[in-house]
């Protein structure tokens, strides 16, 4: 990918992230859930943008190899981010009209931006989300380390228990496109345990890592496919 696009994407995402950090510093209090509500409202937008463009292309007769599989993956990712958002709402993250307005305004503008970028360059759009998911993973990881004791004293929200323990099984096998072996070298399905709110945030953090891996894979796959097409044309 063009280094200029990489640099511009990083400036955009880092700027937005820095603004959110400035407005919502992590303190270990209830306002942290408002910060995560804003982050999750914005983070789920790209997957819907991808689906919008892919559906539109299908409407005009475009059928690409692996397209249906990618659409299912992006749907599962969007559903996963939606449930992150619902968990934050259950914790009171959306209780302020100011927070809701800010999050929804940012999401609305970002949706159209990602839709435009994805329509022009899929790798560039995936790279945008890769940067967001990287920030999200690091944010949740730091939050878990700094507030472990408090989180372990708080109960599991009902929506988290339903999603991670009851749903089918939370579509994880669809959005986990880059599985990793456990300590024994065996590939296993991740089925989270939920005893406290700490476990919920561990799973949210790990979900963000899965999204990041899928996005990196998407960029690499698209680049390899493009290179293959170029070789075919030259031959």
């Amino acid at each position: 990918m063009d280094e200029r696009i990489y640099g511009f994407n990083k400036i955009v995402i880092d700027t937005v992230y820095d603004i959110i950090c400035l407005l919502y510093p992590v303190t270990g209090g209830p306002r942290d859930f408002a910060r995560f509500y804003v982050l999750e409202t914005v983070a789920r937008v790209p997957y819907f943008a991808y689906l919008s463009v892919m559906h539109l292309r299908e409407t005009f007769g475009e059928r690409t190899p692996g397209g249906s599989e990618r659409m299912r993956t992006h749907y599962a990712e969007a559903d996963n981010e939606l449930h992150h958002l619902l968990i934050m709402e259950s914790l009171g993250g959306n209780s302020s009209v100011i927070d809701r307005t800010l999050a929804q305004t940012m999401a609305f503008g970002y949706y159209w931006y990602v839709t435009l970028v994805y329509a022009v360059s899929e790798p560039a759009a995936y790279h945008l989300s890769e940067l967001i998911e990287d920030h999200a993973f690091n944010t949740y990881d730091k939050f878990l380390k700094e507030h472990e004791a408090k989180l372990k004293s708080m109960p599991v929200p009902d929506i988290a228990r339903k999603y991670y323990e009851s749903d089918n099984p939370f579509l994880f096998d669809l959005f986990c496109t880059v599985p990793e072996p456990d300590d024994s070298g065996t590939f296993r399905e991740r089925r989270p345990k939920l005893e406290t709110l700490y476990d919920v945030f561990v799973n949210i953090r790990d979900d963000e890592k899965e999204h990041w891996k899928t996005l990196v894979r998407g960029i690499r796959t698209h680049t390899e496919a493009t290179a293959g097409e170029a070789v075919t044309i030259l031959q």
Side-chain angles (χ1 to χ4, degrees), residues 20-229:
I20 293 175
C21 289
L22 179 65
L23 295 176
Y24 298 93
V26 176
T27 62
R31 291 293 295 162
D32 292 343
F33 301 131
R35 171 200 174 101
F36 297 137
Y37 165 78
V38 173
L39 285 173
E40 295 295 349
T41 300
V42 175
R44 66 187 292 259
V45 162
Y47 303 110
F48 176 56
Y50 304 157
L51 288 169
S52 298
V53 175
M54 296 178 80
H55 271 288
L56 184 61
R57 287 173 174 169
E58 280 195 346
T59 300
F60 289 103
E62 181 178 320
R63 301 289 189 273
T64 58
S68 295
E69 180 183 351
R70 275 200 298 150
M71 290 177 73
R72 285 193 293 270
T73 298
H74 291 324
Y75 173 79
E77 289 169 323
D79 182 71
N80 180 251
E81 296 287 13
L82 168 63
H83 282 84
H84 292 178
L85 182 63
L86 293 176
I87 291 168
M88 299 312 162
E89 290 179 354
S90 74
L91 295 169
N94 66 332
S95 58
S96 168
V97 65
I98 295 175
D99 296 329
R100 294 197 303 272
T101 301
L102 175 64
Q104 292 162 5
T105 300
M106 292 175 65
F108 180 79
Y110 192 54
Y111 166 77
W112 290 108
Y113 178 68
V114 176
T115 298
L116 176 62
V117 173
Y118 193 78
V120 174
S121 171
E122 292 180 11
Y126 286 146
H127 180 246
L128 276 169
S129 294
E130 176 197 335
L131 293 172
I132 288 180
E133 300 296 1
D134 183 57
H135 276 307
F137 175 86
N138 290 324
T139 296
Y140 285 123
D141 190 56
K142 182 179 179 182
F143 182 66
L144 284 163
K145 291 175 180 176
E146 293 181 350
H147 305 288
E148 179 178 353
K150 179 179 179 180
L151 291 170
K152 285 185 174 180
S153 70
M154 300 176 71
V156 176
D158 290 340
I159 183 62
R161 194 171 296 285
K162 177 182 181 300
Y163 177 61
Y164 283 112
E165 294 185 343
S166 302
D167 289 354
N168 177 34
F170 69 99
L171 298 181
F172 177 75
D173 298 325
L174 282 180
F175 73 81
C176 178
T177 61
V178 192
E180 294 181 352
D182 60 18
D183 294 337
S184 67
T186 303
F187 290 93
R188 301 183 186 278
E189 297 176 340
R190 177 163 70 87
R191 297 293 176 260
K193 66 168 188 174
L194 296 179
E195 296 178 357
T196 67
L197 189 60
Y198 179 84
D199 299 319
V200 175
F201 273 88
V202 166
N203 283 291
I204 291 174
R205 178 201 63 186
D206 292 348
D207 288 346
E208 306 298 1
K209 181 181 179 181
E210 296 301 333
H211 295 316
W212 179 86
K213 290 191 297 182
T214 296
L215 291 160
V216 171
R217 178 175 179 264
I219 294 172
R220 184 172 64 249
T221 300
H222 187 279
T223 301
E224 291 172 352
T226 302
E229 292 173 1

